[in-house]
Amino acid sequence: MSHIAQIELDDRNLPPPTPEIEQERRVAMFDLMEENSFTLPKRDDRVVPEGPYKVGLSIRDRRLVFDVQTDAGEPAAQFLLSLGPFRQVVKDYFAICKSYFDAVKNLPPAQIETIDMARRGIHDEGARVLEERLEGKAIVDHDTARRLFTLICVLHFGG
């Protein structure tokens, strides 16, 4: 099984994240490195380097850029995804996360759980959009897509 062995976010030109966004980033990166599934599919007659992979994520010219290298640092693939399909789900995700962070400070556990269920639902929707956008470019499992979606949100936050 191929996987991501290293991931880097290019956030050099973005404003500093809030503490909550930074926490989301740390958790997503930790979870991603603990377990993930990432494979480059065969395309035409070209040889596809096997993983593990180093993946760089950035936003350039209003596009999400995946820069994929082999573990040895050789180029393996690069693909650019339009941010358009992500805009609404990222906006919804940030809104529900804000509600969740506010709820944790003030509301009883039952209400926090309700908001958290909604947050997970929107997170799943973001993962589904990512899986669709990666079709033919990379094969990921749902948990990997969820973690990558979180990292896309972190980049989107600054952009």
Side-chain angles (χ1 to χ4, degrees), residues 3 11-12 30 32 44 46 49 52-53 56 79-81 84 86 104 113-114 118-120 122 131 142 154:
H3 66 280
D11 57 359
R12 291 176 291 195
F30 177 84
L32 189 65
D44 304 320
R46 292 185 296 178
Y53 300 105
F79 31 94
L80 290 75
L81 306 177
F86 294 101
V104 167
E113 186 175 328
T114 301
R119 181 174 80 136
R120 283 183 295 208
I122 294 169
E131 288 173 281
H142 187 69
V154 169

mmCIF file with all atom_site columns, all heavy atoms in Angstrom, residues 3 11-12 30 32 44 46 49 52-53 56 79-81 84 86 104 113-114 118-120 122 131 142 154:
data_model
loop_
_atom_site.group_PDB
_atom_site.id
_atom_site.type_symbol
_atom_site.label_atom_id
_atom_site.label_alt_id
_atom_site.label_comp_id
_atom_site.label_asym_id
_atom_site.label_entity_id
_atom_site.label_seq_id
_atom_site.pdbx_PDB_ins_code
_atom_site.Cartn_x
_atom_site.Cartn_y
_atom_site.Cartn_z
_atom_site.occupancy
_atom_site.B_iso_or_equiv
_atom_site.pdbx_formal_charge
_atom_site.auth_seq_id
_atom_site.auth_comp_id
_atom_site.auth_asym_id
_atom_site.auth_atom_id
_atom_site.pdbx_PDB_model_num
ATOM 1   N N   . HIS A 1 3   ? 1.631   5.277  0.452   1.00 0.00 ? 3   HIS A N   1
ATOM 2   C CA  . HIS A 1 3   ? 1.163   6.242  1.444   1.00 0.00 ? 3   HIS A CA  1
ATOM 3   C C   . HIS A 1 3   ? 2.020   7.509  1.382   1.00 0.00 ? 3   HIS A C   1
ATOM 4   O O   . HIS A 1 3   ? 3.039   7.546  0.701   1.00 0.00 ? 3   HIS A O   1
ATOM 5   C CB  . HIS A 1 3   ? 1.202   5.642  2.849   1.00 0.00 ? 3   HIS A CB  1
ATOM 6   C CG  . HIS A 1 3   ? 2.589   5.338  3.337   1.00 0.00 ? 3   HIS A CG  1
ATOM 7   N ND1 . HIS A 1 3   ? 3.274   4.219  2.959   1.00 0.00 ? 3   HIS A ND1 1
ATOM 8   C CD2 . HIS A 1 3   ? 3.417   6.035  4.153   1.00 0.00 ? 3   HIS A CD2 1
ATOM 9   C CE1 . HIS A 1 3   ? 4.472   4.221  3.528   1.00 0.00 ? 3   HIS A CE1 1
ATOM 10  N NE2 . HIS A 1 3   ? 4.578   5.314  4.258   1.00 0.00 ? 3   HIS A NE2 1
ATOM 11  N N   . ASP A 1 11  ? 2.736   27.629 3.444   1.00 0.00 ? 11  ASP A N   1
ATOM 12  C CA  . ASP A 1 11  ? 1.901   28.710 3.961   1.00 0.00 ? 11  ASP A CA  1
ATOM 13  C C   . ASP A 1 11  ? 2.713   29.985 4.177   1.00 0.00 ? 11  ASP A C   1
ATOM 14  O O   . ASP A 1 11  ? 2.336   30.854 4.945   1.00 0.00 ? 11  ASP A O   1
ATOM 15  C CB  . ASP A 1 11  ? 1.211   28.286 5.256   1.00 0.00 ? 11  ASP A CB  1
ATOM 16  C CG  . ASP A 1 11  ? 2.194   27.851 6.334   1.00 0.00 ? 11  ASP A CG  1
ATOM 17  O OD1 . ASP A 1 11  ? 3.417   27.865 6.087   1.00 0.00 ? 11  ASP A OD1 1
ATOM 18  O OD2 . ASP A 1 11  ? 1.732   27.491 7.431   1.00 0.00 ? 11  ASP A OD2 1
ATOM 19  N N   . ARG A 1 12  ? 3.827   30.090 3.440   1.00 0.00 ? 12  ARG A N   1
ATOM 20  C CA  . ARG A 1 12  ? 4.732   31.240 3.618   1.00 0.00 ? 12  ARG A CA  1
ATOM 21  C C   . ARG A 1 12  ? 4.067   32.583 3.405   1.00 0.00 ? 12  ARG A C   1
ATOM 22  O O   . ARG A 1 12  ? 4.388   33.555 4.069   1.00 0.00 ? 12  ARG A O   1
ATOM 23  C CB  . ARG A 1 12  ? 5.923   31.135 2.667   1.00 0.00 ? 12  ARG A CB  1
ATOM 24  C CG  . ARG A 1 12  ? 6.882   30.027 2.994   1.00 0.00 ? 12  ARG A CG  1
ATOM 25  C CD  . ARG A 1 12  ? 7.936   29.946 1.955   1.00 0.00 ? 12  ARG A CD  1
ATOM 26  N NE  . ARG A 1 12  ? 7.287   29.457 0.735   1.00 0.00 ? 12  ARG A NE  1
ATOM 27  C CZ  . ARG A 1 12  ? 7.932   29.001 -0.304  1.00 0.00 ? 12  ARG A CZ  1
ATOM 28  N NH1 . ARG A 1 12  ? 9.231   29.000 -0.326  1.00 0.00 ? 12  ARG A NH1 1
ATOM 29  N NH2 . ARG A 1 12  ? 7.279   28.561 -1.363  1.00 0.00 ? 12  ARG A NH2 1
ATOM 30  N N   . PHE A 1 30  ? -0.616  15.062 12.242  1.00 0.00 ? 30  PHE A N   1
ATOM 31  C CA  . PHE A 1 30  ? -0.253  13.912 13.070  1.00 0.00 ? 30  PHE A CA  1
ATOM 32  C C   . PHE A 1 30  ? -1.040  12.682 12.635  1.00 0.00 ? 30  PHE A C   1
ATOM 33  O O   . PHE A 1 30  ? -0.466  11.606 12.406  1.00 0.00 ? 30  PHE A O   1
ATOM 34  C CB  . PHE A 1 30  ? -0.501  14.213 14.554  1.00 0.00 ? 30  PHE A CB  1
ATOM 35  C CG  . PHE A 1 30  ? -0.213  13.042 15.438  1.00 0.00 ? 30  PHE A CG  1
ATOM 36  C CD1 . PHE A 1 30  ? 1.086   12.786 15.861  1.00 0.00 ? 30  PHE A CD1 1
ATOM 37  C CD2 . PHE A 1 30  ? -1.228  12.179 15.837  1.00 0.00 ? 30  PHE A CD2 1
ATOM 38  C CE1 . PHE A 1 30  ? 1.362   11.690 16.671  1.00 0.00 ? 30  PHE A CE1 1
ATOM 39  C CE2 . PHE A 1 30  ? -0.960  11.081 16.638  1.00 0.00 ? 30  PHE A CE2 1
ATOM 40  C CZ  . PHE A 1 30  ? 0.340   10.836 17.060  1.00 0.00 ? 30  PHE A CZ  1
ATOM 41  N N   . LEU A 1 32  ? -2.543  12.102 9.813   1.00 0.00 ? 32  LEU A N   1
ATOM 42  C CA  . LEU A 1 32  ? -2.175  11.715 8.463   1.00 0.00 ? 32  LEU A CA  1
ATOM 43  C C   . LEU A 1 32  ? -0.888  10.894 8.459   1.00 0.00 ? 32  LEU A C   1
ATOM 44  O O   . LEU A 1 32  ? -0.788  9.887  7.762   1.00 0.00 ? 32  LEU A O   1
ATOM 45  C CB  . LEU A 1 32  ? -2.021  12.957 7.587   1.00 0.00 ? 32  LEU A CB  1
ATOM 46  C CG  . LEU A 1 32  ? -1.856  12.727 6.098   1.00 0.00 ? 32  LEU A CG  1
ATOM 47  C CD1 . LEU A 1 32  ? -3.111  12.108 5.504   1.00 0.00 ? 32  LEU A CD1 1
ATOM 48  C CD2 . LEU A 1 32  ? -1.555  14.042 5.398   1.00 0.00 ? 32  LEU A CD2 1
ATOM 49  N N   . ASP A 1 44  ? -2.162  6.067  -18.849 1.00 0.00 ? 44  ASP A N   1
ATOM 50  C CA  . ASP A 1 44  ? -1.711  5.693  -20.194 1.00 0.00 ? 44  ASP A CA  1
ATOM 51  C C   . ASP A 1 44  ? -0.631  4.621  -20.079 1.00 0.00 ? 44  ASP A C   1
ATOM 52  O O   . ASP A 1 44  ? -0.813  3.643  -19.395 1.00 0.00 ? 44  ASP A O   1
ATOM 53  C CB  . ASP A 1 44  ? -1.230  6.926  -20.965 1.00 0.00 ? 44  ASP A CB  1
ATOM 54  C CG  . ASP A 1 44  ? -2.298  8.014  -21.038 1.00 0.00 ? 44  ASP A CG  1
ATOM 55  O OD1 . ASP A 1 44  ? -3.478  7.670  -21.216 1.00 0.00 ? 44  ASP A OD1 1
ATOM 56  O OD2 . ASP A 1 44  ? -1.940  9.196  -20.904 1.00 0.00 ? 44  ASP A OD2 1
ATOM 57  N N   . ARG A 1 46  ? 2.537   5.467  -19.121 1.00 0.00 ? 46  ARG A N   1
ATOM 58  C CA  . ARG A 1 46  ? 3.628   6.021  -18.319 1.00 0.00 ? 46  ARG A CA  1
ATOM 59  C C   . ARG A 1 46  ? 3.864   5.191  -17.064 1.00 0.00 ? 46  ARG A C   1
ATOM 60  O O   . ARG A 1 46  ? 2.933   4.670  -16.451 1.00 0.00 ? 46  ARG A O   1
ATOM 61  C CB  . ARG A 1 46  ? 3.315   7.457  -17.893 1.00 0.00 ? 46  ARG A CB  1
ATOM 62  C CG  . ARG A 1 46  ? 3.299   8.413  -19.069 1.00 0.00 ? 46  ARG A CG  1
ATOM 63  C CD  . ARG A 1 46  ? 3.122   9.817  -18.613 1.00 0.00 ? 46  ARG A CD  1
ATOM 64  N NE  . ARG A 1 46  ? 1.798   9.955  -17.960 1.00 0.00 ? 46  ARG A NE  1
ATOM 65  C CZ  . ARG A 1 46  ? 1.367   11.058 -17.426 1.00 0.00 ? 46  ARG A CZ  1
ATOM 66  N NH1 . ARG A 1 46  ? 2.112   12.136 -17.431 1.00 0.00 ? 46  ARG A NH1 1
ATOM 67  N NH2 . ARG A 1 46  ? 0.188   11.117 -16.873 1.00 0.00 ? 46  ARG A NH2 1
ATOM 68  N N   . PRO A 1 49  ? 5.802   6.094  -10.409 1.00 0.00 ? 49  PRO A N   1
ATOM 69  C CA  . PRO A 1 49  ? 6.649   5.711  -9.278  1.00 0.00 ? 49  PRO A CA  1
ATOM 70  C C   . PRO A 1 49  ? 5.818   5.266  -8.084  1.00 0.00 ? 49  PRO A C   1
ATOM 71  O O   . PRO A 1 49  ? 4.778   5.847  -7.791  1.00 0.00 ? 49  PRO A O   1
ATOM 72  C CB  . PRO A 1 49  ? 7.419   6.989  -8.934  1.00 0.00 ? 49  PRO A CB  1
ATOM 73  C CG  . PRO A 1 49  ? 7.138   7.955  -10.023 1.00 0.00 ? 49  PRO A CG  1
ATOM 74  C CD  . PRO A 1 49  ? 5.925   7.498  -10.746 1.00 0.00 ? 49  PRO A CD  1
ATOM 75  N N   . PRO A 1 52  ? 6.522   5.059  -0.802  1.00 0.00 ? 52  PRO A N   1
ATOM 76  C CA  . PRO A 1 52  ? 5.869   6.212  -0.178  1.00 0.00 ? 52  PRO A CA  1
ATOM 77  C C   . PRO A 1 52  ? 6.229   7.533  -0.873  1.00 0.00 ? 52  PRO A C   1
ATOM 78  O O   . PRO A 1 52  ? 7.210   7.608  -1.602  1.00 0.00 ? 52  PRO A O   1
ATOM 79  C CB  . PRO A 1 52  ? 6.387   6.184  1.254   1.00 0.00 ? 52  PRO A CB  1
ATOM 80  C CG  . PRO A 1 52  ? 7.675   5.441  1.198   1.00 0.00 ? 52  PRO A CG  1
ATOM 81  C CD  . PRO A 1 52  ? 7.555   4.486  0.051   1.00 0.00 ? 52  PRO A CD  1
ATOM 82  N N   . TYR A 1 53  ? 5.392   8.541  -0.596  1.00 0.00 ? 53  TYR A N   1
ATOM 83  C CA  . TYR A 1 53  ? 5.530   9.826  -1.266  1.00 0.00 ? 53  TYR A CA  1
ATOM 84  C C   . TYR A 1 53  ? 5.744   10.965 -0.271  1.00 0.00 ? 53  TYR A C   1
ATOM 85  O O   . TYR A 1 53  ? 5.322   10.898 0.876   1.00 0.00 ? 53  TYR A O   1
ATOM 86  C CB  . TYR A 1 53  ? 4.256   10.143 -2.066  1.00 0.00 ? 53  TYR A CB  1
ATOM 87  C CG  . TYR A 1 53  ? 3.940   9.120  -3.118  1.00 0.00 ? 53  TYR A CG  1
ATOM 88  C CD1 . TYR A 1 53  ? 2.912   8.202  -2.928  1.00 0.00 ? 53  TYR A CD1 1
ATOM 89  C CD2 . TYR A 1 53  ? 4.651   9.069  -4.307  1.00 0.00 ? 53  TYR A CD2 1
ATOM 90  C CE1 . TYR A 1 53  ? 2.610   7.258  -3.895  1.00 0.00 ? 53  TYR A CE1 1
ATOM 91  C CE2 . TYR A 1 53  ? 4.356   8.127  -5.284  1.00 0.00 ? 53  TYR A CE2 1
ATOM 92  C CZ  . TYR A 1 53  ? 3.334   7.227  -5.063  1.00 0.00 ? 53  TYR A CZ  1
ATOM 93  O OH  . TYR A 1 53  ? 3.034   6.290  -6.019  1.00 0.00 ? 53  TYR A OH  1
ATOM 94  N N   . GLY A 1 56  ? 3.664   17.975 -1.177  1.00 0.00 ? 56  GLY A N   1
ATOM 95  C CA  . GLY A 1 56  ? 3.616   19.392 -0.855  1.00 0.00 ? 56  GLY A CA  1
ATOM 96  C C   . GLY A 1 56  ? 2.250   19.927 -1.250  1.00 0.00 ? 56  GLY A C   1
ATOM 97  O O   . GLY A 1 56  ? 1.769   19.639 -2.342  1.00 0.00 ? 56  GLY A O   1
ATOM 98  N N   . PHE A 1 79  ? -0.417  17.993 -9.620  1.00 0.00 ? 79  PHE A N   1
ATOM 99  C CA  . PHE A 1 79  ? -1.726  18.316 -10.146 1.00 0.00 ? 79  PHE A CA  1
ATOM 100 C C   . PHE A 1 79  ? -2.284  19.527 -9.429  1.00 0.00 ? 79  PHE A C   1
ATOM 101 O O   . PHE A 1 79  ? -1.998  19.770 -8.276  1.00 0.00 ? 79  PHE A O   1
ATOM 102 C CB  . PHE A 1 79  ? -2.704  17.136 -10.135 1.00 0.00 ? 79  PHE A CB  1
ATOM 103 C CG  . PHE A 1 79  ? -2.527  16.144 -9.034  1.00 0.00 ? 79  PHE A CG  1
ATOM 104 C CD1 . PHE A 1 79  ? -3.250  16.267 -7.865  1.00 0.00 ? 79  PHE A CD1 1
ATOM 105 C CD2 . PHE A 1 79  ? -1.651  15.084 -9.154  1.00 0.00 ? 79  PHE A CD2 1
ATOM 106 C CE1 . PHE A 1 79  ? -3.106  15.349 -6.843  1.00 0.00 ? 79  PHE A CE1 1
ATOM 107 C CE2 . PHE A 1 79  ? -1.490  14.164 -8.132  1.00 0.00 ? 79  PHE A CE2 1
ATOM 108 C CZ  . PHE A 1 79  ? -2.222  14.295 -6.983  1.00 0.00 ? 79  PHE A CZ  1
ATOM 109 N N   . LEU A 1 80  ? -3.036  20.295 -10.227 1.00 0.00 ? 80  LEU A N   1
ATOM 110 C CA  . LEU A 1 80  ? -3.642  21.528 -9.758  1.00 0.00 ? 80  LEU A CA  1
ATOM 111 C C   . LEU A 1 80  ? -5.153  21.345 -9.783  1.00 0.00 ? 80  LEU A C   1
ATOM 112 O O   . LEU A 1 80  ? -5.701  20.880 -10.770 1.00 0.00 ? 80  LEU A O   1
ATOM 113 C CB  . LEU A 1 80  ? -3.254  22.694 -10.664 1.00 0.00 ? 80  LEU A CB  1
ATOM 114 C CG  . LEU A 1 80  ? -1.791  23.146 -10.600 1.00 0.00 ? 80  LEU A CG  1
ATOM 115 C CD1 . LEU A 1 80  ? -0.892  22.189 -11.324 1.00 0.00 ? 80  LEU A CD1 1
ATOM 116 C CD2 . LEU A 1 80  ? -1.657  24.529 -11.165 1.00 0.00 ? 80  LEU A CD2 1
ATOM 117 N N   . LEU A 1 81  ? -5.784  21.703 -8.686  1.00 0.00 ? 81  LEU A N   1
ATOM 118 C CA  . LEU A 1 81  ? -7.231  21.581 -8.566  1.00 0.00 ? 81  LEU A CA  1
ATOM 119 C C   . LEU A 1 81  ? -7.834  22.961 -8.358  1.00 0.00 ? 81  LEU A C   1
ATOM 120 O O   . LEU A 1 81  ? -7.324  23.758 -7.566  1.00 0.00 ? 81  LEU A O   1
ATOM 121 C CB  . LEU A 1 81  ? -7.605  20.691 -7.376  1.00 0.00 ? 81  LEU A CB  1
ATOM 122 C CG  . LEU A 1 81  ? -6.980  19.303 -7.306  1.00 0.00 ? 81  LEU A CG  1
ATOM 123 C CD1 . LEU A 1 81  ? -7.410  18.595 -6.023  1.00 0.00 ? 81  LEU A CD1 1
ATOM 124 C CD2 . LEU A 1 81  ? -7.359  18.488 -8.523  1.00 0.00 ? 81  LEU A CD2 1
ATOM 125 N N   . GLY A 1 84  ? -12.698 26.354 -6.616  1.00 0.00 ? 84  GLY A N   1
ATOM 126 C CA  . GLY A 1 84  ? -14.125 26.625 -6.707  1.00 0.00 ? 84  GLY A CA  1
ATOM 127 C C   . GLY A 1 84  ? -15.009 25.575 -6.042  1.00 0.00 ? 84  GLY A C   1
ATOM 128 O O   . GLY A 1 84  ? -15.877 25.922 -5.232  1.00 0.00 ? 84  GLY A O   1
ATOM 129 N N   . PHE A 1 86  ? -14.470 23.702 -3.675  1.00 0.00 ? 86  PHE A N   1
ATOM 130 C CA  . PHE A 1 86  ? -14.236 23.626 -2.231  1.00 0.00 ? 86  PHE A CA  1
ATOM 131 C C   . PHE A 1 86  ? -14.793 24.836 -1.473  1.00 0.00 ? 86  PHE A C   1
ATOM 132 O O   . PHE A 1 86  ? -14.976 24.772 -0.272  1.00 0.00 ? 86  PHE A O   1
ATOM 133 C CB  . PHE A 1 86  ? -12.736 23.540 -1.925  1.00 0.00 ? 86  PHE A CB  1
ATOM 134 C CG  . PHE A 1 86  ? -12.089 22.277 -2.399  1.00 0.00 ? 86  PHE A CG  1
ATOM 135 C CD1 . PHE A 1 86  ? -11.356 22.264 -3.565  1.00 0.00 ? 86  PHE A CD1 1
ATOM 136 C CD2 . PHE A 1 86  ? -12.213 21.094 -1.676  1.00 0.00 ? 86  PHE A CD2 1
ATOM 137 C CE1 . PHE A 1 86  ? -10.750 21.104 -4.012  1.00 0.00 ? 86  PHE A CE1 1
ATOM 138 C CE2 . PHE A 1 86  ? -11.620 19.931 -2.115  1.00 0.00 ? 86  PHE A CE2 1
ATOM 139 C CZ  . PHE A 1 86  ? -10.884 19.931 -3.290  1.00 0.00 ? 86  PHE A CZ  1
ATOM 140 N N   . VAL A 1 104 ? -17.948 24.774 23.037  1.00 0.00 ? 104 VAL A N   1
ATOM 141 C CA  . VAL A 1 104 ? -17.116 24.077 24.018  1.00 0.00 ? 104 VAL A CA  1
ATOM 142 C C   . VAL A 1 104 ? -16.909 24.943 25.260  1.00 0.00 ? 104 VAL A C   1
ATOM 143 O O   . VAL A 1 104 ? -16.834 24.430 26.373  1.00 0.00 ? 104 VAL A O   1
ATOM 144 C CB  . VAL A 1 104 ? -15.761 23.665 23.385  1.00 0.00 ? 104 VAL A CB  1
ATOM 145 C CG1 . VAL A 1 104 ? -14.756 23.227 24.424  1.00 0.00 ? 104 VAL A CG1 1
ATOM 146 C CG2 . VAL A 1 104 ? -15.980 22.572 22.357  1.00 0.00 ? 104 VAL A CG2 1
ATOM 147 N N   . GLU A 1 113 ? -22.292 18.034 21.451  1.00 0.00 ? 113 GLU A N   1
ATOM 148 C CA  . GLU A 1 113 ? -22.318 16.817 20.633  1.00 0.00 ? 113 GLU A CA  1
ATOM 149 C C   . GLU A 1 113 ? -23.118 17.024 19.342  1.00 0.00 ? 113 GLU A C   1
ATOM 150 O O   . GLU A 1 113 ? -22.720 16.561 18.272  1.00 0.00 ? 113 GLU A O   1
ATOM 151 C CB  . GLU A 1 113 ? -22.905 15.662 21.434  1.00 0.00 ? 113 GLU A CB  1
ATOM 152 C CG  . GLU A 1 113 ? -22.830 14.345 20.702  1.00 0.00 ? 113 GLU A CG  1
ATOM 153 C CD  . GLU A 1 113 ? -23.312 13.185 21.554  1.00 0.00 ? 113 GLU A CD  1
ATOM 154 O OE1 . GLU A 1 113 ? -23.135 13.229 22.787  1.00 0.00 ? 113 GLU A OE1 1
ATOM 155 O OE2 . GLU A 1 113 ? -23.856 12.244 20.970  1.00 0.00 ? 113 GLU A OE2 1
ATOM 156 N N   . THR A 1 114 ? -24.219 17.733 19.432  1.00 0.00 ? 114 THR A N   1
ATOM 157 C CA  . THR A 1 114 ? -25.032 18.017 18.247  1.00 0.00 ? 114 THR A CA  1
ATOM 158 C C   . THR A 1 114 ? -24.238 18.835 17.231  1.00 0.00 ? 114 THR A C   1
ATOM 159 O O   . THR A 1 114 ? -24.240 18.533 16.031  1.00 0.00 ? 114 THR A O   1
ATOM 160 C CB  . THR A 1 114 ? -26.326 18.760 18.640  1.00 0.00 ? 114 THR A CB  1
ATOM 161 O OG1 . THR A 1 114 ? -27.057 17.938 19.561  1.00 0.00 ? 114 THR A OG1 1
ATOM 162 C CG2 . THR A 1 114 ? -27.178 19.083 17.433  1.00 0.00 ? 114 THR A CG2 1
ATOM 163 N N   . ALA A 1 118 ? -22.707 17.789 13.342  1.00 0.00 ? 118 ALA A N   1
ATOM 164 C CA  . ALA A 1 118 ? -22.845 18.607 12.134  1.00 0.00 ? 118 ALA A CA  1
ATOM 165 C C   . ALA A 1 118 ? -21.474 18.919 11.544  1.00 0.00 ? 118 ALA A C   1
ATOM 166 O O   . ALA A 1 118 ? -21.285 18.874 10.321  1.00 0.00 ? 118 ALA A O   1
ATOM 167 C CB  . ALA A 1 118 ? -23.593 19.901 12.462  1.00 0.00 ? 118 ALA A CB  1
ATOM 168 N N   . ARG A 1 119 ? -20.528 19.184 12.401  1.00 0.00 ? 119 ARG A N   1
ATOM 169 C CA  . ARG A 1 119 ? -19.153 19.470 11.952  1.00 0.00 ? 119 ARG A CA  1
ATOM 170 C C   . ARG A 1 119 ? -18.576 18.263 11.217  1.00 0.00 ? 119 ARG A C   1
ATOM 171 O O   . ARG A 1 119 ? -17.976 18.399 10.152  1.00 0.00 ? 119 ARG A O   1
ATOM 172 C CB  . ARG A 1 119 ? -18.284 19.849 13.156  1.00 0.00 ? 119 ARG A CB  1
ATOM 173 C CG  . ARG A 1 119 ? -16.850 20.191 12.802  1.00 0.00 ? 119 ARG A CG  1
ATOM 174 C CD  . ARG A 1 119 ? -16.094 20.700 13.999  1.00 0.00 ? 119 ARG A CD  1
ATOM 175 N NE  . ARG A 1 119 ? -15.655 19.617 14.843  1.00 0.00 ? 119 ARG A NE  1
ATOM 176 C CZ  . ARG A 1 119 ? -14.437 19.545 15.375  1.00 0.00 ? 119 ARG A CZ  1
ATOM 177 N NH1 . ARG A 1 119 ? -13.559 20.503 15.163  1.00 0.00 ? 119 ARG A NH1 1
ATOM 178 N NH2 . ARG A 1 119 ? -14.113 18.540 16.136  1.00 0.00 ? 119 ARG A NH2 1
ATOM 179 N N   . ARG A 1 120 ? -18.784 17.073 11.773  1.00 0.00 ? 120 ARG A N   1
ATOM 180 C CA  . ARG A 1 120 ? -18.284 15.854 11.120  1.00 0.00 ? 120 ARG A CA  1
ATOM 181 C C   . ARG A 1 120 ? -18.963 15.641 9.767   1.00 0.00 ? 120 ARG A C   1
ATOM 182 O O   . ARG A 1 120 ? -18.333 15.192 8.814   1.00 0.00 ? 120 ARG A O   1
ATOM 183 C CB  . ARG A 1 120 ? -18.471 14.647 12.021  1.00 0.00 ? 120 ARG A CB  1
ATOM 184 C CG  . ARG A 1 120 ? -17.429 14.596 13.137  1.00 0.00 ? 120 ARG A CG  1
ATOM 185 C CD  . ARG A 1 120 ? -17.588 13.368 13.957  1.00 0.00 ? 120 ARG A CD  1
ATOM 186 N NE  . ARG A 1 120 ? -18.889 13.463 14.641  1.00 0.00 ? 120 ARG A NE  1
ATOM 187 C CZ  . ARG A 1 120 ? -19.192 12.919 15.780  1.00 0.00 ? 120 ARG A CZ  1
ATOM 188 N NH1 . ARG A 1 120 ? -18.327 12.177 16.399  1.00 0.00 ? 120 ARG A NH1 1
ATOM 189 N NH2 . ARG A 1 120 ? -20.379 13.082 16.328  1.00 0.00 ? 120 ARG A NH2 1
ATOM 190 N N   . ILE A 1 122 ? -20.123 17.968 7.691   1.00 0.00 ? 122 ILE A N   1
ATOM 191 C CA  . ILE A 1 122 ? -19.541 18.908 6.726   1.00 0.00 ? 122 ILE A CA  1
ATOM 192 C C   . ILE A 1 122 ? -18.117 18.467 6.369   1.00 0.00 ? 122 ILE A C   1
ATOM 193 O O   . ILE A 1 122 ? -17.711 18.547 5.205   1.00 0.00 ? 122 ILE A O   1
ATOM 194 C CB  . ILE A 1 122 ? -19.576 20.350 7.278   1.00 0.00 ? 122 ILE A CB  1
ATOM 195 C CG1 . ILE A 1 122 ? -21.031 20.809 7.395   1.00 0.00 ? 122 ILE A CG1 1
ATOM 196 C CG2 . ILE A 1 122 ? -18.769 21.299 6.394   1.00 0.00 ? 122 ILE A CG2 1
ATOM 197 C CD1 . ILE A 1 122 ? -21.218 22.106 8.159   1.00 0.00 ? 122 ILE A CD1 1
ATOM 198 N N   . GLU A 1 131 ? -12.142 13.721 -2.803  1.00 0.00 ? 131 GLU A N   1
ATOM 199 C CA  . GLU A 1 131 ? -12.030 12.430 -3.477  1.00 0.00 ? 131 GLU A CA  1
ATOM 200 C C   . GLU A 1 131 ? -12.474 12.550 -4.946  1.00 0.00 ? 131 GLU A C   1
ATOM 201 O O   . GLU A 1 131 ? -11.822 12.008 -5.843  1.00 0.00 ? 131 GLU A O   1
ATOM 202 C CB  . GLU A 1 131 ? -12.863 11.367 -2.761  1.00 0.00 ? 131 GLU A CB  1
ATOM 203 C CG  . GLU A 1 131 ? -12.256 10.946 -1.437  1.00 0.00 ? 131 GLU A CG  1
ATOM 204 C CD  . GLU A 1 131 ? -13.160 10.014 -0.653  1.00 0.00 ? 131 GLU A CD  1
ATOM 205 O OE1 . GLU A 1 131 ? -14.120 10.511 -0.021  1.00 0.00 ? 131 GLU A OE1 1
ATOM 206 O OE2 . GLU A 1 131 ? -12.899 8.802  -0.682  1.00 0.00 ? 131 GLU A OE2 1
ATOM 207 N N   . HIS A 1 142 ? -11.090 7.312  2.549   1.00 0.00 ? 142 HIS A N   1
ATOM 208 C CA  . HIS A 1 142 ? -11.912 8.402  3.095   1.00 0.00 ? 142 HIS A CA  1
ATOM 209 C C   . HIS A 1 142 ? -11.209 9.124  4.255   1.00 0.00 ? 142 HIS A C   1
ATOM 210 O O   . HIS A 1 142 ? -11.254 10.357 4.334   1.00 0.00 ? 142 HIS A O   1
ATOM 211 C CB  . HIS A 1 142 ? -13.282 7.876  3.531   1.00 0.00 ? 142 HIS A CB  1
ATOM 212 C CG  . HIS A 1 142 ? -14.220 8.960  3.931   1.00 0.00 ? 142 HIS A CG  1
ATOM 213 N ND1 . HIS A 1 142 ? -14.746 9.863  3.027   1.00 0.00 ? 142 HIS A ND1 1
ATOM 214 C CD2 . HIS A 1 142 ? -14.713 9.310  5.144   1.00 0.00 ? 142 HIS A CD2 1
ATOM 215 C CE1 . HIS A 1 142 ? -15.521 10.718 3.666   1.00 0.00 ? 142 HIS A CE1 1
ATOM 216 N NE2 . HIS A 1 142 ? -15.530 10.404 4.947   1.00 0.00 ? 142 HIS A NE2 1
ATOM 217 N N   . VAL A 1 154 ? -6.877  24.739 6.225   1.00 0.00 ? 154 VAL A N   1
ATOM 218 C CA  . VAL A 1 154 ? -5.834  25.552 6.851   1.00 0.00 ? 154 VAL A CA  1
ATOM 219 C C   . VAL A 1 154 ? -5.236  26.500 5.820   1.00 0.00 ? 154 VAL A C   1
ATOM 220 O O   . VAL A 1 154 ? -5.050  27.696 6.074   1.00 0.00 ? 154 VAL A O   1
ATOM 221 C CB  . VAL A 1 154 ? -4.744  24.654 7.482   1.00 0.00 ? 154 VAL A CB  1
ATOM 222 C CG1 . VAL A 1 154 ? -3.537  25.464 7.901   1.00 0.00 ? 154 VAL A CG1 1
ATOM 223 C CG2 . VAL A 1 154 ? -5.309  23.871 8.664   1.00 0.00 ? 154 VAL A CG2 1
#
